[in-house]
Amino acid sequence: MAADRRGKAETLALRRRLISDSCRLFFPEDPIKIVRGQGQYLYDEQGAEYLDCINNVAHVGHCHPLVVQAAHGQNQVLNTNSRYLHDNIVDYAQRLAETLPEKLCVFYFLNSGSEANDLALRLARQYTEHWDVVVLDHAYHGHLSSLIDISPYKFRDLDGQKEWVHVAPLPDTYRGLYREDHPDPAGAYASEVKRVVNSVQEKGRKIAAFFVESLPSVAGQIILPAGYFPEVAEHVRRAGGLFIADEIQVGFGRVGKHFWAFQLQGEDFVPDIVTMGKSIGNGHPVACVATTQAVARAFEATGVEYFNTFKKKKSGPQETPSRLPLCDTGPPARTPAGPGGGRGPKLRGAWRGQPCRRSQFGGSPVSCAVGLAVLDVLAKEQLQAHAASVGSVLMGLLGQQKAKHPIIGDVRGVGLFIGVDLIKDTATRTPATEEANYVVSRLKENYILLSTDGPGRNVLKFKPPMCFSVDNARHVVAKMDTILTDMEEKVRSCETLRLRP
């Protein structure tokens, strides 16, 4: 706690000296020094209270006492790796299994969402013996090298697109190829994926996976058209690939209607792999991959140990993903197809006779105790239903603002995952980037923390802790109304922020 007594200026000077500039701060011109959190609020060194509208990591609220108690209690007894027999990992896996479709019954526990997505990619390549990956434009799946390669949001500013990565159009019905007036946007965008898959096959390459955020976040809080996933899965599975749903930003009840965002695509739709992170531990470093018995068996066939796996036992024969060629023991341990369709490089030592890869603290007793506590809080405080209720109110209030302020081009969202798209004009829907930054800055002055996302950095994103209330929603929207009204009185148009002469 000694750091709390250090002045903000000294802390900032130390950070600038010791921490890389690539680790960016919110509000770099005037950063906030946060020393405490509680529920949906953060507090600076002066005791000022900020309403947190963006921290989806603190899923059930900052420093929730039950989560803190669970971590502290287990830390006092035991924290070690998962190679020892312990109840917490099996209890946690069983609780997660109860929230998922029955086919998703094997779990791997890890430390971060990036680690989970990296493992999902390895699982898909091992199972299919293919190499290539299809992703959506503007997607972001993590900061590991393997994930930057499949994240257009990142790789376009770095090394560029690898030949084994194939980008399909983002199903954005507001400013994408097929918009809100299209009679079947789900089918149209799914056909674009089919076109990409066909193009890949014509080049003699093979698809390992379609990797997708269940609701694209950094792309601008995109709500995918219903029915898109099942159609895409059909095209991808027919090509021998797997469907991977990245739930790291939006899982665990955030969408309100369902526990998982992929369930918005239909009750019968089941991905082959689901990845989890961020909200799963309420800030504690824990993540998870859930998959089918068939995919897990193929990984096991390599002879490589991944020591934090848990299988949910089921009676009767195991079901397998539809439209996938399977065998009882999984495919033989051969090197997957690499670039150009030939046998590719070995996957980071994941083969017979080589050292095993381990997530040292994934699935530890403490991590699983924290995960169980998060599930307990979600159930006890009915936060999924709360997200649906409060999100509906917030969407309604923001819709009223859209009718009042022409700069708001679109309000989209579900539960407590909402985006407000600011535009310069209604005809071109040009992103109002400077205006969005101005609104965020003014909200900060009013002790409200919001940020922007999307390719144009013009989408105000709402992903607050799940305890965010109706009163919070009304307060934020009232402040937004004041700021937008003031801005409209002072600026010549939505094209600039220049003051009137």
Side-chain angles (χ1 to χ4, degrees):
M1 299 299 290
D4 292 353
R5 297 192 291 272
R6 182 181 292 132
K8 174 181 170 180
E10 183 183 357
T11 301
L12 183 58
L14 284 168
R15 180 177 175 111
R16 287 172 173 167
R17 179 164 64 87
L18 299 169
I19 307 300
S20 169
D21 288 343
S22 62
C23 302
R24 297 177 182 175
L25 287 164
F26 282 132
F27 314 107
E29 297 82 9
D30 183 25
I32 306 169
K33 182 177 180 181
I34 296 298
V35 299
R36 186 168 68 88
Q38 190 66 49
Q40 63 270 50
Y41 300 102
L42 293 170
Y43 300 87
D44 69 13
E45 81 283 6
Q46 302 296 326
E49 180 182 85
Y50 290 82
L51 177 60
D52 184 358
C53 300
I54 53 174
N55 201 325
N56 60 330
V57 176
H59 191 58
V60 299
H62 293 281
C63 302
H64 194 289
L66 293 183
V67 179
V68 172
Q69 181 181 357
H72 179 61
Q74 184 59 55
N75 255 318
Q76 289 183 306
V77 178
L78 174 69
N79 192 24
T80 187
N81 66 56
S82 56
R83 299 189 80 181
Y84 298 102
L85 192 63
H86 196 276
D87 285 336
N88 284 8
I89 191 170
V90 294
D91 289 344
Y92 189 32
Q94 286 184 320
R95 288 282 299 278
L96 286 173
E98 291 169 3
T99 72
L100 288 160
E102 187 177 7
K103 291 181 181 179
L104 298 170
C105 58
V106 183
F107 299 85
Y108 300 81
F109 293 106
L110 312 101
N111 300 320
S112 71
S114 288
E115 200 177 346
N117 280 345
D118 178 76
L119 175 60
L121 184 59
R122 291 172 60 196
L123 289 170
R125 283 173 166 168
Q126 177 61 42
Y127 176 76
T128 64
E129 298 189 315
H130 300 166
W131 192 263
D132 290 25
V133 180
V134 179
V135 296
L136 294 182
D137 204 2
H138 309 298
Y140 175 63
H141 294 291
H143 61 79
L144 299 181
S145 296
S146 62
L147 305 176
I148 289 174
D149 285 346
I150 64 170
S151 298
Y153 169 75
K154 288 290 186 181
F155 70 58
R156 289 204 170 106
D157 294 326
L158 296 170
D159 297 331
Q161 184 173 342
K162 299 291 192 296
E163 62 179 352
W164 52 268
V165 178
H166 312 280
V167 180
L170 176 70
D172 180 354
T173 57
Y174 181 65
R175 56 163 47 85
L177 286 175
Y178 311 105
R179 300 189 174 184
E180 64 271 17
D181 57 350
H182 193 281
D184 181 21
Y189 279 113
S191 293
E192 291 294 324
V193 176
K194 180 180 180 182
R195 178 185 59 79
V196 170
V197 170
N198 289 342
S199 175
V200 171
Q201 292 178 317
E202 288 170 2
K203 297 174 183 176
R205 307 182 69 92
K206 297 181 180 180
I207 299 296
F210 177 73
F211 215 125
V212 63
E213 299 166 89
S214 296
L215 291 175
S217 180
V218 299
Q221 307 290 99
I222 303 300
I223 306 301
L224 302 176
Y228 174 69
F229 279 3
E231 291 195 43
V232 168
E234 184 174 351
H235 301 318
V236 171
R237 287 167 175 164
R238 187 179 294 126
L242 298 184
F243 191 105
I244 302 174
D246 179 344
E247 289 274 336
I248 291 166
Q249 293 270 12
V250 292
F252 292 88
R254 176 160 296 277
V255 299
K257 296 179 181 179
H258 302 281
F259 199 79
W260 303 106
F262 72 77
Q263 293 169 322
L264 293 167
Q265 294 288 320
E267 293 183 2
D268 295 332
F269 173 70
V270 182
D272 301 300
I273 301 173
V274 173
T275 61
M276 314 164 202
K278 292 189 186 296
S279 55
I280 188 174
N282 209 55
H284 183 87
V286 59
C288 180
V289 174
T291 191
T292 64
Q293 288 279 3
V295 172
R297 286 200 302 269
F299 196 57
E300 292 161 8
T302 67
V304 171
E305 178 185 15
Y306 201 96
F307 68 75
N308 54 21
T309 313
F310 175 79
K311 295 182 181 180
K312 179 188 176 187
K313 290 185 178 180
K314 298 191 298 183
S315 59
Q318 301 296 333
E319 296 183 85
T320 55
S322 61
R323 303 182 179 87
L324 291 176
L326 305 177
C327 61
D328 288 340
T329 59
R334 297 196 303 267
T335 309
R343 290 298 168 192
K346 294 182 178 180
L347 286 177
R348 301 175 179 86
W351 308 98
R352 292 187 188 277
Q354 300 193 31
C356 65
R357 292 288 301 273
R358 301 171 180 170
S359 179
Q360 187 69 35
F361 298 105
S364 74
V366 171
S367 292
C368 291
V370 168
L372 284 163
V374 170
L375 294 180
D376 288 341
V377 173
L378 285 168
K380 180 180 179 180
E381 300 182 9
Q382 300 181 325
L383 291 180
Q384 181 180 331
H386 180 80
S389 175
V390 176
S392 178
V393 171
L394 182 54
M395 283 286 291
L397 293 171
L398 291 169
Q400 293 172 14
Q401 294 301 302
K402 179 179 180 295
K404 182 177 181 180
H405 301 289
I407 192 174
I408 299 179
D410 189 36
V411 175
R412 51 183 175 262
V414 58
L416 287 175
F417 178 87
I418 295 172
V420 180
D421 198 315
L422 302 188
I423 58 173
K424 290 182 179 293
D425 62 83
T426 56
T428 63
R429 301 182 178 182
T430 302
T433 305
E434 296 83 4
E435 292 84 347
N437 290 334
Y438 176 79
V439 171
V440 168
S441 179
R442 286 286 306 276
L443 284 169
K444 178 212 170 195
E445 294 172 6
N446 286 271
Y447 302 98
I448 296 170
L449 303 180
L450 202 65
S451 64
T452 60
D453 243 330
R457 304 300 300 180
N458 66 303
V459 180
L460 306 178
K461 62 176 179 180
F462 288 84
K463 295 185 294 185
M466 295 275 279
C467 48
F468 190 83
S469 70
V470 169
D471 286 343
N472 295 148
R474 290 174 177 149
H475 174 62
V476 173
V477 175
K479 291 296 183 183
M480 282 183 59
D481 183 24
T482 299
I483 292 166
L484 292 174
T485 299
D486 180 62
M487 189 169 72
E488 289 163 356
E489 291 175 353
K490 291 180 179 178
V491 298
R492 190 185 305 277
S493 72
C494 284
E495 294 178 356
T496 71
L497 283 173
R498 293 196 304 269
L499 297 179
R500 295 179 191 273

